[in-house]
């Protein structure tokens, strides 16, 4: 029978999710012995939790007895991603209303950025990004905002998998160049797409806080309007919006943990 922790959570459920996170962090497969070293649980408890996760397909055991994440999680992840847009729309609408430019939400899906929400500017000349469109993270403001929250080793794995094509001549062409740009993002707390995805379009972006959020929001428009003065107004609003989304999505807990 599951026991409850003082925080009000069900202990066995929390332990099961912790096992899933450890398996995910292994970036491949992980042995039972490695799992036991990563979590402070008795081996029989780990066995029991893994059996519970294997049966419905959330975890899969390989022929070599190692464990990997199961295919059932793909469906859950896709469903969660689809819900990001409707959840974030009120926040995006406020950004678009206050700044007069298009507001976007995107998530890292595998190694690519996928746009999950947008509220368009009411202006005739505006930035339009189709929801569901995929883009390379190294060449987008939202992508750089997300990558900046990762260790360089994880960033390298992503760009090795995707390559580094240049949508425009202003896109980063090498890994070293990308790292320099990400260091700037880390220092200032936000990213700028300086016509790296589309010539004539500039974008200010900020990651939604949360240890594993992999979500970012942005405001974008023609470079003639989205300039330094625009950025000075946009950054505080983006910061407030990102913090609000973190709270509403329950990601704030992982920041404060």
């Amino acid at each position: 029978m599951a026991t409850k922790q003082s925080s009000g959570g069900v202990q066995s459920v929390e332990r099961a999710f912790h096992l899933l996170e450890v398996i995910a962090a292994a970036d491949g497969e992980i042995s039972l012995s490695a799992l036991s070293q990563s979590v402070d649980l008795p081996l029989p408890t780990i066995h029991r939790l893994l059996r519970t996760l294997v049966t419905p397909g959330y975890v899969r055991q390989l022929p070599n007895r190692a464990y990997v994440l199961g295919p059932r999680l793909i469906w859950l992840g896709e469903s969660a991603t689809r819900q990001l847009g409707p959840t974030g729309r009120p926040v995006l609408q406020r950004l678009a209303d206050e700044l007069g430019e298009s507001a976007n939400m995107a998530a890292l899906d595998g190694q690519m950025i996928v746009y999950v929400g947008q509220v368009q500017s009411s202006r005739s000349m505006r930035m339009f990004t189709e929801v569901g469109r995929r883009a390379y993270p190294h060449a987008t403001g939202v992508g750089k905002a997300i990558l900046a929250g990762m260790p360089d080793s994880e960033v390298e794995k992503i760009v090795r998998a995707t390559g580094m094509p240049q949508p425009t001549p202003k896109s980063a062409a090498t890994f070293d160049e990308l790292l320099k740009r990400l260091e700037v993002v880390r220092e200032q707390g936000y990213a700028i797409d300086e016509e790296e995805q589309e010539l004539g379009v500039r974008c200010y972006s900020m990651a939604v806080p949360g240890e594993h959020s992999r979500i970012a929001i942005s405001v974008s428009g023609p470079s003639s309007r989205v300039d330094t003065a625009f950025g000075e107004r946009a950054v505080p609003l983006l910061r407030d919006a990102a913090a609000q989304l973190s709270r509403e999505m329950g990601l704030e807990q992982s920041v404060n943990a």
Side-chain angles (χ1 to χ4, degrees):
M1 181 177 180
T3 59
K4 290 188 177 181
Q5 294 184 320
S6 58
S7 64
V10 179
Q11 188 180 63
S12 59
V13 175
E14 293 176 350
R15 287 173 169 177
F17 278 111
H18 183 49
L19 281 181
L20 289 174
E21 291 176 350
V22 171
I23 295 171
D27 196 27
E29 62 187 58
I30 186 169
S31 66
L32 182 61
S33 61
L35 262 178
S36 65
Q37 293 171 8
S38 300
V39 296
D40 186 21
L41 292 173
L43 200 56
T45 300
I46 297 175
H47 268 296
R48 185 175 67 254
L49 292 170
L50 286 172
R51 285 199 304 271
T52 303
L53 292 168
V54 166
T55 299
Y58 295 118
V59 170
R60 187 162 58 93
Q61 188 174 30
L62 301 176
N64 65 0
R65 311 297 292 173
Y67 291 91
V68 296
L69 296 179
R72 189 76 178 271
L73 290 171
I74 297 173
W75 173 75
L76 286 179
E78 290 175 345
S79 298
T81 300
R82 286 194 297 270
Q83 293 302 313
L84 290 176
T87 300
R89 185 172 179 82
V91 175
L92 297 181
Q93 185 68 62
R94 282 195 295 275
L95 283 172
D97 291 344
E98 293 186 49
L99 293 167
E101 301 294 349
S102 298
N104 316 284
M105 176 183 285
L108 186 65
D109 182 25
Q111 287 84 34
M112 297 290 285
I113 286 294
V114 59
Y115 287 89
V116 296
Q118 183 185 67
V119 172
Q120 296 181 41
S121 167
S122 59
R123 302 187 183 194
S124 57
M125 186 179 178
R126 61 194 179 189
M127 170 66 175
F128 174 73
T129 297
E130 182 181 358
V131 172
R133 185 172 75 87
R134 302 174 76 82
Y136 292 96
H138 73 278
T140 59
V142 284
K144 291 190 296 181
I146 293 171
L147 292 179
M150 300 179 180
D152 289 350
S153 58
E154 191 171 353
V155 174
E156 185 175 13
K157 289 178 184 177
I158 290 173
V159 298
R160 281 186 181 276
T162 62
M164 293 188 67
Q166 289 182 278
T168 80
K170 297 189 177 184
S171 311
T174 67
F175 181 62
D176 287 343
E177 185 179 359
L178 175 61
L179 288 184
K180 291 178 182 177
R181 297 186 184 190
L182 294 184
E183 190 56 38
V184 172
V185 176
R186 290 163 183 154
E187 290 175 358
Q188 62 191 16
Y190 59 91
I192 307 176
D193 174 349
E194 291 280 9
E195 302 183 85
E196 297 161 52
Q197 183 64 26
E198 183 178 348
L199 290 176
V201 174
R202 183 174 287 116
C203 169
Y204 281 80
S205 307
M206 191 168 295
V208 175
E211 186 180 359
H212 302 297
S213 79
R214 304 298 192 258
I215 304 165
I217 55 175
S218 67
V219 284
S220 54
S223 301
S224 57
R225 295 198 305 253
V226 180
D227 53 14
T228 301
F230 175 89
E232 291 174 353
R233 292 192 297 122
V235 168
L237 294 174
L238 280 168
R239 185 175 294 111
D240 290 344
Q244 180 181 346
L245 284 170
S246 182
R247 291 191 299 270
E248 292 179 355
M249 294 178 180
L251 298 171
E252 189 181 50
Q253 298 173 4
S254 63
V255 176
N256 298 327

